[in-house]
Amino acid sequence: MNSNKDIWVFGDYRNYFQNRVTLQILARAVDLFSTTGSSVCAVVFGRDVDEYVAEYIAHGAQKVYVMDDPALNTYSIETYSWLMSHLVKLYKPETLLVGATRFGQEIAPRVAKKLKTGLTADCIDLELDEKGRLVQIAPSFGGNLIAKIITPVQRPQMATIRPGTFQELPHDYDAKGEVICLPVPEDLPKDAIRLITSERRPSEKQKIEDADIVICGGRGMGSKGKFKKLFELAELMNAEVGATRPVVYSEWASHDSLVGQAGKNIKPKILLSFGISGAIQHTSALMGADFIIAVNKNPNATMMKMADLAIVADANQMCLGIIKAIKEKIRT
């Protein structure tokens, strides 16, 4: 079962809606290998990954190799690098491309070592030479020179590509692709490190005091789990998250997020307020906001009265609806 000339792209779907590097690499692969007879394939490991499989097909993947199993629900560098090496040995693709994210920078060199092949890191372009070999273009010597590198003998040809290097293809809702579902091998090695628990924390982009868009949440969000959805919305909107004093005291958010007399004063261009009644200690810190959108079940809440746009609705449901709408817009 040799693919031989197939081009594989590792599917890095963590933080998918902000980091589009896998889609960008797929686009370049489709463009580069369209005349060679090679199939452009994505490789996906994880649990409940159907959404990402469909996205990769819609963005150019002709085949998607999928391992969807509860054992892969949590990322493990040992497991993922072993599985990728195992599949490459089994199917023998010509090329393996990986996004130069922290994820990719961690897994790619391990896979290259297991396969005894070369790896060019942080490529800024990819080309084909007259023999059809992949030319991997990357900065060298501290960025003073641009190197063109080939892998003349060993296979697969491997490279990591910087995010933002290529433009992703438009989402094609009519695209068709082959999905190859694979079982987890019985001889999968056990991890030397066992993950007990994990919690995704959004990257800190800027101080909340300086943010152009701030999303503030109150106890009206309903629970700590529902409050976390505000962080997902903030990532989609390039915003920062603020919280009221009851939220901070309930440990739904850190004290650094506190907006109010005992916390931060903010002056965003747009403030979205979810489930906040509007106690004076909180609203006094919002006077610098240019435009306020408030969501609350109670139309008579103080926050609703001071808002430029007041929406009478459940704060959690409104948050989920906005997240869904933005993701659908990104796909188009």
Side-chain angles (χ1 to χ4, degrees):
M1 298 180 65
N2 293 344
S3 294
N4 293 324
K5 296 297 182 181
D6 282 1
I7 312 305
W8 282 17
V9 178
F10 186 77
D12 182 356
Y13 54 84
R14 300 189 305 174
N15 199 25
Y16 174 80
F17 288 95
Q18 286 73 45
N19 190 336
R20 315 284 284 182
V21 66
T22 301
L23 305 186
Q24 295 162 7
I25 298 173
L26 284 171
R28 183 55 176 162
V30 169
D31 177 58
L32 204 58
F33 296 96
S34 59
T35 61
T36 66
S38 303
S39 294
V40 175
C41 313
V43 183
V44 184
F45 304 139
R47 178 61 172 161
D48 297 327
V49 294
D50 289 351
E51 177 183 9
Y52 307 110
V53 171
E55 285 291 301
Y56 294 150
I57 291 173
H59 285 87
Q62 296 159 290
K63 300 178 186 176
V64 184
Y65 293 86
V66 184
M67 279 193 185
D68 189 328
D69 192 277
L72 305 178
N73 186 51
T74 303
Y75 166 71
S76 162
I77 181 60
E78 295 178 30
T79 297
Y80 277 41
S81 60
W82 187 91
L83 286 174
M84 179 57 74
S85 304
H86 172 80
L87 290 184
V88 168
K89 291 175 182 177
L90 181 63
Y91 289 93
K92 296 179 171 58
E94 178 80 359
T95 302
L96 174 58
L97 304 175
V98 182
T101 60
R102 289 184 180 179
F103 185 99
Q105 290 168 340
E106 185 176 44
I107 193 172
R110 287 172 167 82
V111 173
K113 184 177 186 299
K114 291 176 185 293
L115 297 174
K116 295 182 172 61
T117 190
L119 170 69
T120 302
D122 291 330
C123 289
I124 59 173
D125 201 0
L126 300 171
E127 297 175 353
L128 294 179
D129 67 8
E130 67 280 0
K131 296 182 179 180
R133 297 175 300 190
L134 184 70
V135 181
Q136 305 144 50
I137 302 173
S140 61
F141 294 98
N144 294 317
L145 294 175
I146 299 298
K148 292 189 175 182
I149 301 167
I150 63 170
T151 308
V153 179
Q154 296 298 103
R155 291 295 180 268
Q157 305 166 109
M158 283 189 64
T160 63
I161 295 90
R162 290 183 179 181
T165 298
F166 305 119
Q167 181 67 43
E168 67 185 72
L169 294 171
H171 190 286
D172 183 357
Y173 287 95
D174 296 322
K176 305 294 182 182
E178 180 183 0
V179 179
I180 303 167
C181 297
L182 303 169
V184 173
E186 294 182 0
D187 57 344
L188 177 67
K190 291 185 177 180
D191 288 337
I193 300 174
R194 182 170 63 91
L195 178 65
I196 298 174
T197 185
S198 67
E199 179 177 344
R200 181 179 176 184
R201 299 185 66 181
S203 58
E204 185 175 336
K205 296 179 283 294
Q206 57 187 324
K207 292 182 178 179
I208 192 171
E209 305 97 305
D210 302 324
D212 288 335
I213 304 175
V214 174
I215 300 172
C216 281
R219 289 293 296 274
M221 284 299 295
S223 69
K224 183 176 182 179
K226 293 176 180 178
F227 188 89
K228 287 182 179 180
K229 286 295 179 180
L230 295 180
F231 290 100
E232 181 178 352
L233 178 60
E235 288 195 49
L236 292 169
M237 298 182 66
N238 193 28
E240 293 297 319
V241 174
T244 60
R245 186 164 58 183
V247 164
V248 172
Y249 286 177
S250 298
E251 298 183 349
W252 293 4
S254 69
H255 192 275
D256 290 339
S257 303
L258 179 59
V259 174
Q261 291 176 348
K264 308 287 179 59
N265 290 319
I266 59 175
K267 49 183 187 308
K269 293 178 181 177
I270 300 175
L271 169 65
L272 288 86
S273 173
F274 287 89
I276 296 175
S277 59
I280 184 63
Q281 71 85 23
H282 176 72
T283 57
S284 62
L286 312 177
M287 298 307 175
D290 290 342
F291 192 87
I292 298 175
I293 302 170
V295 181
N296 201 299
K297 289 182 178 179
N298 180 8
N300 298 314
T302 302
M303 195 72 233
M304 298 285 275
K305 293 180 179 178
M306 67 181 293
D308 297 282
L309 174 61
I311 302 173
V312 181
D314 178 83
N316 176 58
Q317 291 301 315
M318 179 61 67
C319 175
L320 294 176
I322 297 173
I323 290 172
K324 181 179 178 182
I326 293 175
K327 287 184 176 180
E328 289 176 350
K329 182 65 176 178
I330 291 173
R331 292 193 181 101
T332 59

